[in-house]
Amino acid sequence: MSPAKARASWLNRAYIGLVNPALNGKTYLGIGRRVRELQQLERMSPAQNRSRQWQALSRLLQHAYDSTPFYHERFERAGVRPAVMERLEDLQKIPVLTREDIRQNLDGMWSRRFARESLRQAATGGTTDTPVPLLRSPECLTEKLAVQFHFNSWAGMWPGDRVFMLWGAQQDLVPDPSWRWRFYERYLMRHVTAPTSVLNPEILESYRRLLNDFQPKVIYAYPTPLTIFCEYLRDCGRTYHYPRSAICTAEPLLPQQRQTIEQTLRCAVFEHYGSRDFGMVAAECEAHQGMHLNPSAVFVEFVPVEGAEVDGLHEILVTDLLNYGMPLIRYRINDCAMPASAPCACGRGFPLIKKIAGRTTDNFYLANGNVVPGVALTNRVIQVCPGLKKVQVIQNTLSDFHIRYVPGPGFSASDLGLLGSKLRVFFPDPLQWTFEEVPEIERERSGKTRFCISHVKRNETTPVPEETRA
Amino acid sequence: MKAVHATQTSLSKNASEDGRGPGRSAASPNMLIALRSEIFRRCLYPLLLKRWRPTAQVYLSKLRKYEFAEVESIETVQWTKLQALIRHAAQNVPYYRNLFREHGIQPEDIRSRQDFARLPILSKATLQEACNELLADDRHTKSGRPNASGGSTGKPVQFFQDAAYWDQAHAWQSFVESWWDIRPGDRTASLWGADRDIPEQSWRERLYGEIGQLRVCNAFALNAAQMERFAKMLVGWQPQHVIGYASALEVFAKFLAERGEFRIRPVAVKTTADILSEERRRIIEKAFGCPVYNFYGSREINNLAVECPARLGLHVNTLSRHIEIVDDENKAVPPGVPGRIVITDLTNYFMPFLRYEIEDIGSWTGTPCSCGRPFPLLAKIWGRSSDFIVTPEGKLIHSVFFTHLFYDMPDVALFQVNQNDVHNVEVQLALRPGTSEYPESLLRKRLRQAFGPNISFKVQVVPKIDRPPSGKHRFTVSSVRPSWGRTDQSIEQWTGVEAL
């Protein structure tokens, strides 16, 4: 293994400038320049970055006020004039934007400066919630990609580097890839994907072989499946390839998980925080003292959470400074964070947050030894049941599952049947399901939203011998 | 229809010229230099490494194996190495053979670190006297290279290191440089040189410099003309790595900031030898626009500890050095309490040092680093014990503290604080040529505040303060020895001019 290399090589530059635009289209044009601009921004002082951010925010507000009926009306009602806005208090007069608002005002939110058909619909997720269709201008896709590339570069990952993705979100994967797609993905885009909806020793072993064959530079993964994979690698007693860095995203990375991954893969672990609505929002740098927000991409407000278990926990409200197609202003993303008090040792001029208490999911351990990471369900199960607003899956014993749900407007009993059949894809064994209708699924006092809760401990899951079962 | 574009506004070219925070992107030199150094790095460097440091690559891969291991596992490795070294010393080294016989110890009796900590400390004086007895009997099997320590404490000490020591030292350096994103074989500019080093450069080093990956500027002849020549060369050459004495780099950084026309943007700066105060770090970071990392080593035993990007302290090289911090009774001090640093070099079998007192003062942080690496952290290296002025109340004032007192007195070119006994201190000032005045009453007020009421001090203006032969200027010279290991002992902290 050669040392970590965070600087872009000639191959990386070729990918940024030539291969990506040629293969993936116009969106990838001009990303290199934009990344270089971001590298300049990170060298500026926090004060300079703040003032630039405020300018960008005022521009966005003015744009929203001028060109979207929804925000025009909303600002009018709140008595906010973007042109004369000077302080944070002025901004706080604007009501918080919720998912419900977007769902109800879809047509009023897109900017009339764009042609409706030029806006792209984003594949939005919604881990604990039903998804909402978001629109984006084509320009902002490029910028969001640049932000992501820039964050990745802190972990030494540039376009063109070999990446092994341990991916939980099924909708990102091509269900039944053709050989052409596989060739494109593996040899041109240079990444391989390992789905993590069900994990058992055979599947993990095949991933180990894939890891050794592919020799990736970076592992890009959901933390829980990656931890399961690392535990397997550690205990299986066979050799495996060590990447140069591991990037964890989509779920909060627990300290225990970080330690396991570091010690098994012998590399630094970087946590990234993003959402489907905004793209990448924050990422860890090489000092590992928290995650840096990118002030040119998002404006984040911190609202103190009362009665939280930990001091300094804040709910975050995000304003997307890049998407002019459908502005999202003071959007409640339903995650909590702790802003850092001290600046990061790396010296970057980007603000730092200590940790994210977002959605957490447990793993489900089944009687046959399979493990189903809760994250695998999040994007898969909820989106197909339009009548359900929120779902929480609780495993009480090996075979006893309890589901709490919040019914949506078009709810009917068939939705539950549909949900059950979707769940049976993951849990083929006869299991006992109970359903309970609840008015709301509350956030925990630690600030976390728990979508999957398992009360089954791992050691209880040793497969039952055939004789005793009979 | 076209949208208003908030972020498309192109940044001005001078956006990063303020040189504040570090960025990862180094400036690139012209194509030819980049190409030449890339060829060197990829083709020639591996060959040279193979030839000159044949086992370095093996050691490097071993280090990588432990980069994120558990603390216990690196401690086990360290203990195994330590036991092997003790056995070797007891068997092959006359000095230790006698020592063990005198004390009636067998190497097998040393079963734990506590047992090991009862061995007597090897002082610099003993090293000078017993130099020949410390050489191992089986040294003819190894190729030793003579080395001598800096004469900053008096007469130089001679000692030997073998090829394995140098290979492992090289491996550790490549290892830590990879933390800072420096690749082996990158272009390096160096502000270096104890006077005797420069003419004595080996032909290898000269060849290496000639081929083009190392440019050296003599740190002890830093005049404006030479710095200008060096800076001009570096602007075209754009080194990825800058190394040097902290004091010399500070002088050079100030020169760069003053002139403003030289834009040198390395990936990382490594400082050694001198104390890297926060002030100094800021000045150097500002001038080079990249992070500055402190590297602690000495001539006798190099590669002791080093900073990672998190910069919460200095990671100890646990796998090849055994570091203890002890008080005056040779007992280990708890984290946070300053004490004497005692080192055992686990890699030098040519001339083994067991529990060598390096005459530096340091303390442990006692906390793990945010970077996840298991190597324990030294909080700070305070330099020599004689760098501290001791007040009768038991307060310690380090030389770095005094440098703060003079920051807003540009007419004072150099100063030295000499303490002869607990109650008497003499402050010597050398003024800038052409000036004869300095804010005397202000300085007296500040000094009185720092020393407290029980010290009488004299302020004296002298025409010139001589540099010691090593070239490192010493701001404080105290002949009063503080007693180490007291938990109530406090090191005077700088709190800003307002406080005075």
Side-chain angles (χ1 to χ4, degrees), chain A residues 1-10 33-34 36-46 48 52 56 59-60 63 112-115 137 139-140 143 153-154 242 258-259 262-264 266-269 284 286-289 296-297 321-322 324 345-349, chain B residues 1-13 15-16 18-27 38 41-42 57 60-61 64-71 174 178-179 181-184 186 240 263 265-267 285 289 291 293 309-312 370-373:
Chain A
M1 210 175 44
S2 54
K5 189 178 66 181
R7 285 176 267 163
S9 70
W10 61 270
R33 188 173 47 84
R34 180 72 188 131
R36 278 195 295 280
E37 283 177 1
L38 289 172
Q39 284 177 335
Q40 289 190 351
L41 282 176
E42 77 179 30
R43 288 172 165 215
M44 291 192 197
S45 68
Q48 274 172 310
R52 281 177 161 274
R59 257 195 311 264
L60 177 85
H63 166 82
R112 301 307 192 252
R113 287 200 177 130
F114 291 87
S137 62
E139 291 90 347
C140 100
E143 307 228 344
S153 77
W154 294 351
Y242 305 115
R258 180 190 287 272
Q259 207 188 351
E262 277 175 349
Q263 288 177 358
T264 322
R266 298 178 186 172
C267 68
V269 179
E284 204 172 295
E286 68 283 344
H288 303 277
Q289 289 171 359
S296 75
L321 300 176
L322 300 177
Y324 276 62
C346 72
R348 285 186 177 85
Chain B
M1 271 182 279
K2 187 80 193 83
V4 192
H5 249 282
T7 43
Q8 287 286 352
T9 47
S10 188
L11 297 170
S12 69
K13 200 161 177 280
S16 59
D18 66 324
R20 221 215 109 263
R24 291 333 79 174
S25 59
E38 195 69 5
R41 196 173 66 76
R42 284 176 190 264
Q57 207 55 40
L60 181 60
S61 54
R64 296 220 169 278
K65 190 174 154 197
Y66 290 105
E67 185 171 353
F68 290 97
E70 281 165 56
V71 182
S174 313
S178 77
W179 300 354
D181 200 18
I182 297 289
R183 300 168 296 197
D186 269 344
Q240 288 130 330
R263 188 171 185 275
R265 287 286 174 271
V267 176
E285 281 189 351
Y293 301 106
R311 285 181 275 176
L312 296 174
S370 69
C371 72
R373 296 185 181 90

Side-chain angles (χ1 to χ4, degrees), chain B residues 254-301:
Chain B
K254 277 182 176 161
F255 167 81
L256 292 177
E258 204 177 297
R259 296 292 294 271
E261 66 205 83
F262 303 111
R263 188 171 185 275
I264 303 165
R265 287 286 174 271
V267 176
V269 174
K270 170 174 113 177
T271 69
T272 53
D274 288 324
I275 288 164
L276 181 70
S277 62
E278 285 311 306
E279 207 73 39
R280 255 185 195 164
R281 193 198 287 274
R282 238 189 325 267
I283 291 171
I284 304 172
E285 281 189 351
K286 207 171 155 130
F288 289 104
C290 77
V292 170
Y293 301 106
N294 194 2
F295 185 94
Y296 173 46
S298 86
R299 239 156 204 294
E300 299 95 303
I301 306 172

